[in-house]
Amino acid sequence: MPPNMPEKHFPVSWDEFHRDARALAWRLADAGPFEAIVCITRGGLVPAAIVARELGIRVIETVCVASYDHVTQSELRLLKTVAADIRALGGGRGKGVLVVDDLVDTGMTARLVRGILPAAHFSAVYAKPLGRPQVDTFITEVSQDTWIFFPWDTGLAFQPPIREAGL
């Protein structure tokens, strides 16, 4: 296990993630109307596609932010900002824009994007306590010291029983 990897693990299968992303769409259904989705890449791409389908939203934009190198959090870098026509919505404040991410962890990324779209509705499938104040809607809260294994980051492999793994 890498040295910075938290001991608590929360593996999420494709089926579970799809269910949780649809549950997010259910919660968001009455929060709109939304003219566009801005997904925070890369983790927000999959839930944004599911939410867009469920809510009938056709305009999907990305904001590209890097803060992790696999398991190590580093300096926050804005790689690509939100397109001007999306930023112009809601009087230039993002009202009517739905921001979607897979996880809000420390809230650093959400704060950066909120600076670009201050009136947007922020959502995430999963939230940790430090980041939770930055999102308007989420589905599941996990502890700050838990590492979520998303289905796009994992493969099928043998897992030793918890007792044998020393947890």
Side-chain angles (χ1 to χ4, degrees), residues 19 56 87-88 124 139 155 157:
R19 178 205 62 216
R87 288 193 323 262
I139 294 303

Side-chain angles (χ1 to χ4, degrees), residues 93-158:
R93 297 185 42 79
K95 185 159 175 55
V97 174
L98 174 61
V99 177
V100 178
D101 206 353
D102 57 349
L103 166 69
V104 59
D105 188 333
T106 63
M108 288 181 359
T109 299
R111 277 190 291 279
L112 176 78
V113 176
R114 202 173 276 285
I116 299 167
L117 299 165
H121 187 98
F122 280 69
S123 69
V125 180
Y126 305 105
K128 292 185 178 181
L130 287 176
R132 192 173 161 205
Q134 297 300 317
V135 293
D136 302 304
T137 304
F138 69 95
I139 294 303
T140 302
E141 184 172 352
V142 297
S143 64
Q144 200 67 43
D145 61 346
T146 296
W147 187 265
I148 299 175
F149 286 97
F150 289 101
W152 49 87
D153 288 331
T154 60
L156 296 177
F158 172 76

